[in-house]
Amino acid sequence: MTRIAARGHIDLLVLLALRQGPGDGRDVIARLHAESDGTLQLPEQTVYRTLHRLTRNRLVLRRRDPVVRRARYVLSETGDRVWRSRLDQWRAFVRTVDAIARSGDET
């Protein structure tokens, strides 16, 4: 199981899960678990706290699903822009760490 410590990383993961379409906390957990080949398992409480925070920050919109009678979350336009920006930042960070790690291999 992979542990994620930083709130910003969890936010990004939840936003990425919601880019696949609307869902509730269980859907987010299932998507992340499936996309990570079973290595990422976020606690339900963590995911719901993150969804509530992202809703307060207007990155995610909360919609009532009358059929299942529970909340479903969907990315807002701002949330869509934010995950793209954060993913670019994350990829740049990974490239930097990888370059530093490779330079250490040469010594």
Side-chain angles (χ1 to χ4, degrees), residues 20-57:
Q20 297 175 19
D24 63 12
R26 290 181 204 140
D27 295 327
V28 169
I29 291 167
R31 290 171 187 173
L32 293 173
H33 186 73
E35 291 295 320
S36 68
D37 293 326
T39 62
L40 184 61
Q41 297 177 1
L42 293 177
E44 193 170 307
Q45 185 176 17
T46 298
V47 171
Y48 280 104
R49 277 192 205 141
T50 302
L51 286 167
H52 293 169
R53 184 177 55 259
L54 293 173
T55 301
R56 279 193 313 275
N57 293 329

Side-chain angles (χ1 to χ4, degrees), residues 48-78:
Y48 280 104
R49 277 192 205 141
T50 302
L51 286 167
H52 293 169
R53 184 177 55 259
L54 293 173
T55 301
R56 279 193 313 275
N57 293 329
R58 297 190 172 111
L59 301 179
V60 169
L61 304 172
R62 185 176 187 258
R63 302 280 190 243
R64 256 345 235 165
D65 187 330
V67 176
V68 294
R69 298 176 66 173
R70 66 177 177 223
R72 311 244 325 141
Y73 298 87
V74 62
L75 284 174
S76 67
E77 287 182 30
T78 303

Side-chain angles (χ1 to χ4, degrees), residues 84-101:
R84 292 171 193 277
S85 173
R86 288 186 183 174
L87 186 57
D88 288 344
Q89 292 169 4
W90 175 256
R91 287 178 172 154
F93 175 73
V94 168
R95 284 191 302 272
T96 300
V97 170
D98 191 48
I100 292 168

